[in-house]
Amino acid sequence: MTVKTMEEFMAEGKQPEVLFWVGSAGSYDDRAKKITKAFVKILNKANVDFAVLGAEESNTGDVAKRAGNEFLFQMQALMNIEVLNAYEIKKIVTCDPHSYNCLKNEYPSLGGNYEVIHHTQYIQDLIKSGRLKVEGNLYKGKRITFHDPCYLGRANGEFDAPREVLKSTKADLIEMKRHKRTALCCGAGGAQMFKEPEKGDKDVNILRTEDALETSPNIIATGCPYCNTMMTDGVKAKEKESEISVLDIAELIANSEEL
């Protein structure tokens, strides 16, 4: 896999088309690393000139902000903005809706103004422009239901891009009763990912998994590493992991094209 850093681009006196913001989950979580690799394969296949920050990338500060530590968030954000502005970054793509929302909506007030794109939007653009052709039949006729990530869907109004990309796999897209604007959270948002749930009758991710199972899917598609973890845990809790896969949209495209 070809992945160059911004430092390498600068040494050559070049600017990449887009900066790929990997995010903490995509960098450190073993499951999310597979999503990162799948997206890199797609970028390479479409001949996209992209770079990563590598060791210069730090957490966006989103989790700190959601947990109420505004001071830590601003420290993290200002550190990242300094690096991004030094490299004169204009366009950022990320597989993490939490990073997407944070970079897009919360960095501008601190001096970080960038065009920020979610990876499903970017893949849709690559397909529309003809740079990426999705011709595989691996998922033809498979029943796929898509779980809307909160920070992509309800928070930023993007519902179509992930669905358009999924349709290109020739799979049958079956919607849950709660989808798009009425979609239910996976249970990991607002820094809930990093703590045990409060006592109650049912964990949110189990409830959301039940929504998905009602569609009798072969695959639950996600567009967020945290959603992926929560839905995977839900499928395991229902003892359905031998029948149902939980895959990110980037993985579905990469698998379909045998990348």
Side-chain angles (χ1 to χ4, degrees):
M1 282 195 288
T2 314
V3 184
K4 286 166 76 175
T5 62
M6 273 307 302
E7 202 174 7
E8 289 170 316
F9 266 92
M10 289 299 278
E12 293 171 13
K14 290 189 203 162
Q15 271 289 87
E17 275 181 66
V18 66
L19 175 82
F20 174 29
W21 185 275
V22 183
S24 299
S27 301
Y28 295 109
D29 180 79
D30 285 342
R31 177 64 188 87
K33 283 180 197 173
K34 294 177 182 175
I35 299 168
T36 304
K37 286 176 182 171
F39 186 55
V40 166
K41 287 174 184 173
I42 291 167
L43 293 174
N44 284 337
K45 164 94 172 170
N47 293 317
V48 176
D49 222 11
F50 76 98
V52 296
L53 286 175
E56 293 183 277
E57 182 185 305
S58 183
N59 187 285
T60 57
D62 168 77
V63 175
K65 188 175 181 73
R66 303 297 155 232
N69 193 338
E70 182 67 23
F71 177 68
L72 178 58
F73 161 69
Q74 293 204 14
M75 271 175 53
Q76 288 289 122
L78 290 168
M79 194 164 58
N80 285 323
I81 288 166
E82 196 177 331
V83 172
L84 291 166
N85 289 353
Y87 281 128
E88 299 180 357
I89 298 296
K90 302 284 186 287
K91 198 170 183 178
I92 301 173
V93 63
T94 180
C95 297
D96 177 6
H98 297 255
S99 296
Y100 166 78
N101 180 70
C102 202
L103 292 163
K104 180 173 184 257
N105 299 319
E106 285 157 355
Y107 273 37
S109 63
L110 298 168
N113 295 287
Y114 320 104
E115 181 188 353
V116 189
I117 310 159
H118 187 249
H119 74 307
T120 58
Q121 296 171 321
Y122 200 69
I123 294 168
Q124 184 193 29
D125 288 344
L126 292 175
I127 294 169
K128 272 187 175 173
S129 63
R131 294 178 71 181
L132 179 69
K133 289 186 168 57
V134 184
E135 297 163 329
N137 289 319
L138 181 64
Y139 298 111
K140 191 173 183 179
K142 295 279 187 196
R143 291 173 66 86
I144 296 183
T145 192
F146 176 64
H147 163 72
D148 288 277
C150 295
Y151 277 115
L152 182 65
R154 287 179 298 151
N156 285 289
E158 180 56 81
F159 303 107
D160 297 333
R163 288 171 170 82
E164 289 300 316
V165 175
L166 282 172
K167 281 175 189 167
S168 72
T169 65
K170 307 182 184 76
D172 296 329
L173 188 57
I174 318 295
E175 295 286 9
M176 299 182 221
K177 278 181 188 165
R178 290 187 266 206
H179 67 285
K180 294 189 177 178
R181 285 250 172 251
T182 60
L184 186 70
C185 176
C186 73
Q192 297 292 314
M193 179 80 184
F194 305 101
K195 57 181 273 298
E196 290 303 313
E198 288 85 358
K199 283 181 182 165
D201 298 330
K202 192 183 286 184
D203 288 358
V204 175
N205 68 313
I206 302 296
L207 186 59
R208 187 54 173 160
T209 303
E210 287 171 358
D211 282 0
L213 295 181
E214 279 178 18
T215 68
S216 305
N218 301 114
I219 296 158
I220 299 171
T222 59
C224 167
Y226 301 109
C227 294
N228 194 294
T229 298
M230 299 305 270
M231 299 305 281
T232 299
D233 287 353
V235 168
K236 280 179 186 166
K238 294 288 180 182
E239 298 181 347
K240 296 276 188 187
E241 63 264 48
S242 60
E243 305 158 42
I244 298 167
S245 311
V246 180
L247 293 167
D248 187 88
I249 287 177
E251 294 177 302
L252 288 161
I253 296 298
N255 292 346
S256 182
E257 295 308 291
E258 297 179 6
L259 301 180

